[in-house]
Amino acid sequence: MVYKTLLDETAMNRALTRIAHEIIEANKGAKDIILVGIETRGVPLAYRLAEKIKQIEEVEVPVEKINIAFYRDDLEKKYVQPVAGDNNVHDINDKTVILVDDVIYTGRTVRAAMDAVMDLGRPSYIKLATLIDRGHRELPIRPDFIGKNIPTSKKEIVHVRLQEIDGENHVLLETK
């Protein structure tokens, strides 16, 4: 296997700063925004975006996390036992929910996250921020905020490594 660095720590930080500015611009500020990180790596990315928004706008943006395991359409393939009742997202009614994930691929994770959010309330809007868009959508889902578009083949794998989980910050492309 061959690994190629797509984003180093500096480039990752730059992409997140750009996403934070785009979120603020698209929402005319940071009022009524809730960042919802999709477990696992979407959660620390949501916290990083909240910190960047705070530095820019001097507004604390709430960060929540959501576990979408129970909502997956491939549940029988990926999980032995579904995780139910694990979502603690509060007060999303009439808010702009920005789902945050590390990589968007087929769109199925995002669809599951939208289902989970809708079970918790009725937001005004649901938007999507992702660090990496690698294409190959199977569902008509498009991110609103993208750190970097990376054209890939279906045989390649994108690995987002985060300090909070992996002890390092970079994005790698694995080819076989």
Side-chain angles (χ1 to χ4, degrees):
M1 288 180 229
V2 177
Y3 294 91
K4 175 184 175 187
T5 301
L6 299 175
L7 295 176
D8 61 13
E9 186 169 6
T10 302
M12 185 184 295
N13 188 45
R14 203 175 303 121
L16 290 171
T17 299
R18 186 175 59 258
I19 291 171
H21 279 283
E22 289 174 1
I23 288 170
I24 292 165
E25 185 175 326
N27 293 287
K28 297 181 174 97
K31 185 179 181 212
D32 292 329
I33 292 174
I34 298 176
L35 297 172
V36 178
I38 301 172
E39 290 185 340
T40 299
R41 285 172 180 77
V43 176
L45 290 173
Y47 279 107
R48 290 183 190 189
L49 286 171
E51 183 58 36
K52 289 184 180 297
I53 291 169
K54 181 180 176 184
Q55 291 170 0
I56 299 164
E57 287 286 296
E58 298 179 0
V59 173
E60 296 267 348
V61 175
V63 176
E64 301 285 355
K65 64 181 177 178
I66 197 159
N67 183 317
I68 53 107
F70 185 68
Y71 294 89
R72 294 292 304 215
D73 62 357
D74 59 353
L75 190 63
E76 67 281 352
K77 296 177 193 172
K78 294 191 93 160
Y79 306 98
V80 176
Q81 293 274 341
V83 179
D86 193 27
N87 296 323
N88 293 318
V89 179
H90 301 291
D91 191 25
I92 65 166
N93 292 314
D94 302 318
K95 306 284 187 198
T96 296
V97 170
I98 300 176
L99 293 171
V100 181
D101 207 5
D102 57 345
V103 178
I104 185 167
Y105 181 37
T106 63
R108 293 183 181 278
T109 296
V110 175
R111 187 219 39 93
M114 289 190 305
D115 287 349
V117 165
M118 295 307 292
D119 277 355
L120 298 169
R122 191 175 192 289
S124 294
Y125 300 95
I126 298 176
K127 297 184 178 186
L128 175 61
T130 186
L131 183 60
I132 304 294
D133 182 348
R134 64 170 291 192
H136 304 286
R137 224 66 89 237
E138 295 174 2
L139 301 172
I141 293 174
R142 179 182 52 86
D144 300 281
F145 313 104
I146 303 166
K148 187 161 181 78
N149 286 297
I150 308 287
T152 63
S153 76
K154 289 187 175 188
K155 294 179 182 179
E156 295 172 313
I157 300 171
V158 175
H159 298 280
V160 174
R161 310 280 295 170
L162 300 175
Q163 182 68 41
E164 298 89 337
I165 297 168
D166 308 298
E168 55 192 2
N169 288 309
H170 56 262
V171 178
L172 301 173
L173 180 65
E174 176 186 340
T175 56
K176 298 178 182 184

